Amino acid sequence: MAPAPSSTTSAITLNINGEKHHLSVDHRTTLLDALRERLDLTGTKKGCDQGQCGACTVLVDRRRVVSCLNLAVAAEGREITTIEGVADGDELHPVQQAFLDLDGYQCGYCTPGQICSAIAVIEEHAAGWPSAATDDVAAQAPPPLTPEEIRERMSGNLCRCGAYVSIVQAVSRGAQAHEEARTAAAEEAAA
């Protein structure tokens, strides 16, 4: 029988990459530390631990968050996706494949956060969300996903290797694959 939680701990269930994980955590435990230290999901990296570098970016309810600034208890009941849950079995996510094909990973330390962020960026852009680089925020259609748009949208993720050119190309290719998949799904639904 598990010990009863104290006033500073809570028993929580985290839904990570489609699996439920039950654990008791101190209320101050960050999502990052719960992932890495308690659940051995070490793909998410601890960088600055201050929310400035983006190395710990994961998806929570399909939106990107820096897991070092989010508490594990606040993530209960939400859908969490880490880099370990991005691929579809043995098939890499198109963004992962683009990072490999275009050498967008360099040392690789920031890559998990970059990929999680890029996936959310592509979805945000496809949904028509403007960025600070968007000229016409009232436009009905999403702006073209230019290198400037990608750089602005990915600006919360730092790469100390300086692989930004390759990362921008990889995000652009990932967005292209996303759009092709969306078009194919719409055509299949219409048939």
Side-chain angles (χ1 to χ4, degrees), residues 9-130:
T9 63
S10 289
I12 62 172
T13 301
L14 296 178
N15 185 5
I16 305 167
N17 303 327
E19 291 184 30
K20 292 189 183 311
H21 298 269
H22 307 282
L23 61 162
S24 177
V25 295
D26 183 292
H27 295 155
R28 299 165 292 183
T29 303
T30 65
L31 178 57
L32 173 62
D33 287 339
L35 293 170
R36 287 185 58 83
E37 307 302 329
R38 302 291 304 280
L39 300 171
D40 204 28
L41 292 167
T42 56
T44 303
K45 303 300 185 218
K46 183 179 274 194
C48 66
D49 211 19
Q50 298 176 4
Q52 296 178 352
C53 73
C56 65
T57 302
V58 298
L59 304 175
V60 175
D61 293 337
R62 302 177 61 137
R63 298 201 50 195
R64 53 194 162 144
V65 302
V66 283
S67 58
C68 70
L69 295 184
N70 283 268
L71 298 176
V73 292
E76 183 172 30
R78 302 177 74 184
E79 183 181 325
I80 301 162
T81 304
T82 67
I83 193 65
E84 290 92 345
V86 167
D88 184 11
D90 290 337
E91 186 174 334
L92 293 177
H93 187 281
V95 173
Q96 289 177 302
Q97 189 63 55
F99 267 72
L100 277 175
D101 293 345
L102 299 169
D103 198 21
Y105 48 84
Q106 298 283 311
C107 83
Y109 196 82
C110 71
T111 304
Q114 297 270 5
I115 288 173
C116 286
S117 194
I119 291 168
V121 160
I122 291 167
E123 290 188 13
E124 291 165 7
H125 175 263
W129 294 12

